[in-house]
Amino acid sequence: MNSNEIFEESKKYMPGGVNSPVRAFNGMDLNPPVIKSGRGVMIKDEDNKEYIDFVLAWGPLFLGHCDEDVVQAIQETSANALAFGAPTKLELDLGKFMCTHLDNIDMIRMVNSGTEATMSAVKLARGYTGKSKIVKFAGCYHGHFDGFLIEAGSGVLTEGIPGCLGVPKESIENTLIGVYNDKNQIKELFKKHGNEIAGVIIEPVAGNMGVIKAEDSFMEELRSLCDEYGSLLIFDEVMTGFRVAFKGAQTLFKVKPDLVTYAKIMGGGLPCGAYGGKREIMEKLSPVGGVYQAGTMSGNPIVMAAGLATLNKLNNNLGYYDYVENIGMKLEQGILKIAQNYKLPLVINRVGGMLTLFFTSLKEVRTYDDVKTCNANMFKRYFKHMLSEGFNIAPSQFESMFLSVKHTEDDINNFLKAFENFASKAN
Ligand SMILES: *Cc1c(COP(=O)(O)O)cnc(C)c1O
């Protein structure tokens, strides 16, 4: 079966042919390639067509596909340890590593995905504060937990779904919507509901409405409101952790979060997540405290081994972050120059190896409303052009492109060549 045949047949057995909606390329008028292998930054589909990958499994593969050290750790561990549902030394090793190397993490709990991490962190915030309401920001995505599925960013935006069927209104009654980078709005929200707010969850660098960094003064306002009202500040670093810096987006801000969630890179390409923070809060978790959260596969040995191999490699090669910053800057500057030459209206937001091309004539994109001004049709044409030229990018205007330590200057130059070809015909 060729790639297209496999995808068509998949639609008979799995809704939309996929196990996660954005993979289906909805709105792009074409079927996604069915991928069979990956190495470094190259992926190969079932027709043996190769692509330079800027999706990297939607973020996790900062070391590229099938990094040899990660694969070796998985192979060695799987020979003796698939799952026990009992404590293992590997859990201690990864848990201790994260508590020692990351800021503001005294204790940590492993889970199996980013969704699990954020929904559990919110439950913990509620259990700890005894309050019910949660603030999330429009355009931010924190996984598919019911309480977060309003104004939930990319996947939901791309599918054009206003909210989500199957979420009872009772489940979102305690969700308050904040406006990203709007200090006055959040002040008003706290003035009205502050005494009921258990926590505020935020992507410190948003990646799920395209890349937008929280402004320093906005973050400081969040911290001071949380302090004033006894609410917890939760950084969702599922995408940014170990990516925008080894210690994550936390290092970009002066304020300290109370709880932080991780997934994606920390699992080295396997299903993984974690949340952690202050000891006093974390000890509210069962079996020490009264907030129950559990998982048959949580802390799975193979996942822990893949995570450890990844994080150790990053920690031993901190120069990777400068390298990615450097090629990221080349990519950004190259694209902007081409866009200018061909009078293609474009804004780029970039933090390290995370960047988004916003097709808009605004001067800057700093809010969710700004994001909504983008030219969806131009994005679609850009996406299709790049894919056909062999560049795998996310099929949505509201996503980030990801760079890895394996991308080379040649990869960047090739991308720019294909982009120039697009830009020259865009208007
Ligand atoms: C991907 C993502 C999640 C959800 O993680 P899953 O592992 O897909 O459940 C949550 N928050 C952010 C910021 C993400 O980027």
Side-chain angles (χ1 to χ4, degrees), residues 113-116 118 141-143 203 208 236 238-239 263-264:
S113 69
T115 297
E116 256 191 85
T118 56
Y141 179 67
H142 304 292
E203 296 181 66
N208 289 291
D236 181 354
V238 166
M239 190 183 284
K264 297 197 168 121

Side-chain angles (χ1 to χ4, degrees), residues 109-112 116 120 123 275 292-298:
R109 166 68 58 92
M110 302 295 172
V111 292
N112 304 290
E116 256 191 85
S120 308
K123 180 154 71 173
Y275 58 110
Y292 190 76
Q293 183 272 313
T296 303
M297 284 296 161
S298 294

Side-chain angles (χ1 to χ4, degrees), residues 20 58 112-118 140-144 148 201-208 236-240 261-264 271-273 399 402:
S20 193
W58 300 84
N112 304 290
S113 69
T115 297
E116 256 191 85
T118 56
C140 284
Y141 179 67
H142 304 292
H144 63 82
F148 295 149
I201 187 165
I202 185 168
E203 296 181 66
V205 176
N208 289 291
D236 181 354
E237 293 233 44
V238 166
M239 190 183 284
T240 54
T261 59
Y262 297 94
K264 297 197 168 121
C272 193
E399 294 284 349
F402 294 112

